[in-house]
Amino acid sequence: MVSQDELKKQTGYKSIDDYVTSGMVVGLGTGSTAYYAVERLGQKLKSGELTDILAIPTSVRTKEQAESLGIPLVTLNTHSKLDVAIDGADNVDPGFNLVKGGGGALLREKMVEMAADKFIVIVDESKLCDGLGPGFPVPVEITPFCHEHTIRAIAALPSCTGCTPKLRMGSSSNNKVDGDEIAVTDNGNYIVDLHYTETIKDAPKMASDLKGLCGVVDHGIFTGMTYAVICAGSDGVTVTAPER
């Protein structure tokens, strides 16, 4: 049986092989699946198969990995338009809505991926779901100032009905409680994870409401952004895409 890490590697490598050509500006995601896309990009640059690549990382740890592989890096400050961005997801529903941010990099991921002509999502089949909510908590990045007030305001939103908000503790790079201190993102903010036992009724509406709430920096619901999903499973690797 193929291991989950091997499935992640298959999708990460395929994303670079199929969607990245020389001369591109590439957004590099964060997480255990995106790791393999970064690894593959480094390999193809080193071999000379790819040239004149510039990359924009979505987290400090992706930046460090890319630097270790000799991948030339820039930022959105100098390159506001990307050819492609590649990243994993924590959940993908049939409408290509995503939950992202389990690794705590949701704000930078969204900024980079919204600036890309194509956003390629790389997952293994365990990340596919019938509806967002129960499969993975929705992370929301909030300001430290009066964070308890903001958490109550989030829970009170009608579109967030049914959620149990939990402030992320310990490391910001996972949603497990692994420390006594409040988790802090690369941007100096906090994360509250919204836990659900039932499917979110209207994810795009919830996304819009959260974004409009004062105290919320951004959230882990990504809607209307996916160009294609590369998914690895027991039956091989498949590529699906929204109707255009």
Side-chain angles (χ1 to χ4, degrees), residues 45-227:
L45 281 169
K46 186 175 181 179
S47 71
E49 191 174 346
L50 288 176
T51 58
D52 300 318
I53 293 289
L54 296 174
I56 300 180
T58 55
S59 67
V60 171
R61 59 187 182 281
T62 297
K63 176 177 181 287
E64 291 171 346
Q65 182 195 4
E67 287 175 339
S68 74
L69 297 172
I71 299 172
L73 299 179
V74 292
T75 73
L76 289 175
N77 282 336
T78 56
H79 293 75
S80 290
K81 183 177 174 58
L82 288 71
D83 297 288
V84 65
I86 297 167
D87 204 356
D90 299 303
N91 260 172
V92 182
D93 78 6
F96 297 93
N97 299 304
L98 316 175
V99 169
K100 289 176 48 58
L106 59 99
L107 173 62
R108 297 188 186 192
E109 288 171 345
K110 191 173 285 187
M111 289 179 69
V112 170
E113 287 148 17
M114 287 188 72
D117 288 340
K118 296 178 180 178
F119 173 35
I120 309 303
V121 180
I122 49 178
V123 295
D124 65 79
E125 61 186 356
S126 71
K127 304 300 176 65
L128 304 181
C129 65
D130 293 330
L132 302 183
F136 199 91
V138 177
V140 182
E141 188 160 345
I142 63 175
T143 59
F145 176 74
C146 293
H147 65 278
E148 293 179 357
H149 160 76
T150 302
I151 292 171
R152 289 194 295 271
I154 290 170
L157 286 173
S159 56
C160 292
T161 296
C163 79
T164 300
K166 296 183 180 179
L167 188 63
R168 192 172 293 192
M169 304 295 292
S171 170
S172 66
S173 62
N174 66 77
N175 60 8
K176 312 302 180 189
V177 178
D178 58 2
D180 297 328
E181 300 293 324
I182 298 173
V184 179
T185 69
D186 287 344
N187 315 300
N189 297 314
Y190 295 167
I191 291 179
V192 56
D193 292 295
L194 308 183
H195 294 253
Y196 283 87
T197 57
E198 296 184 3
T199 300
I200 295 168
K201 290 181 173 59
D202 188 341
K205 168 66 173 168
M206 176 177 163
S208 176
D209 290 350
L210 283 169
K211 186 68 175 177
L213 190 64
C214 190
V216 170
V217 180
D218 219 314
H219 54 78
I221 299 176
F222 286 48
T223 64
M225 293 174 57
T226 304
Y227 182 84

